[in-house]
Amino acid sequence: MACMVVGLHAGFLNEVSELGSYLAVNGFFRIAVPIFFIINGFYFYPVLLKNNYVAWLKRVLILYVVWMVFYSYFWFFVPGFYFVEVVGLLQQVLVGYHHLWYLAGMLGAALILLAVYRFPFSLLVASVLVTFFCGVLIQYLGNYHILADSVFDEWFNLHWVHRNMVFFAYPFFCVGYLINKYSVHEYLSFELIFAICVVGFLVLVGESYVNYRQALHDGVFDNLLSLLLVCPFVFMFFLKCNVGGESKKVALYSSAIYFIHSLFLSIFRKYTEIDGTLLTLLTIMASVFSSYFIIKVNDKIKFIL
């Protein structure tokens, strides 16, 4: 999934097939970040049980600060006396640079869940549905310019308005929490979960294809309607599988690839003309290679992964 994120940022297949690239970048690859949030929520449940959420929040905040400082060359500037510049800098600090919005979203989602986790199951499910569908609605109203020539159209086409802690991170984070708390994956059979995964992927590709064929659409799609169907069941599918190996090491590599890949994308784009599939592959290779050393550093300094 970390490699999927690299692919969608690099424009995978865009020099090979316009349709293939669109179905990947604005379809299949979009499952990655929601599933990351589901994983975060799933493992946040035992954190709440042990009442260790303060340490958890502190750790994520430190992680966010460390990587924001690491990428500060690309986003930090000294604002002048213009209000717009001050607001722009403040937005970067709160929302996060490029891919680091994920950490800000995870932190915000956890804070929201802390405020509502004592609610009954039905209310938590309702909160997931309301926040998720609001995000999808804003995304589609913006990308299809339903409210063209209005201030709402401008706002709805800003990524952070719909892809944020409330409308994107929280719904999936809460889904992961609910799966663990109510052991949803244990009550569903492997065959049923697999079947829903297949159906979910078909619906996801279908939604992506419809967006591709519509002349009215504009921009990328983060908040796809089908993600709420396919992502939880993909996660539960792998919970049902007995996969051997060192899961902690896989998690560290995944995190390292995710955090460092934006640097290599920036370097390759500045100093080379490569794009699309080759850019994706080279960035993945460079990220995997550097991840080995990042993990070694993390063994000594425990707050970078």
Side-chain angles (χ1 to χ4, degrees), residues 25 32 45 57 67 69 87 156 164 180 185 233 236 245 296-297:
V25 171
Y45 174 63
L57 292 170
W67 285 101
V69 170
V87 171
F156 289 173
N164 55 41
N180 198 346
H185 56 293
F233 284 91
M236 287 190 288
K296 289 295 184 183
V297 173

Side-chain angles (χ1 to χ4, degrees), residues 177-192:
Y177 166 81
L178 292 173
I179 289 173
N180 198 346
K181 181 176 181 178
Y182 294 97
S183 303
V184 178
H185 56 293
E186 295 180 7
Y187 289 101
L188 302 177
S189 68
F190 180 84
E191 291 76 14
L192 177 61

Side-chain angles (χ1 to χ4, degrees), residues 43-53 113-114 117 177:
Y43 290 107
F44 191 67
Y45 174 63
V47 171
L48 280 179
L49 284 182
K50 298 175 183 177
N51 205 33
N52 287 337
Y53 59 86
L113 187 60
L114 279 171
Y117 78 96
Y177 166 81

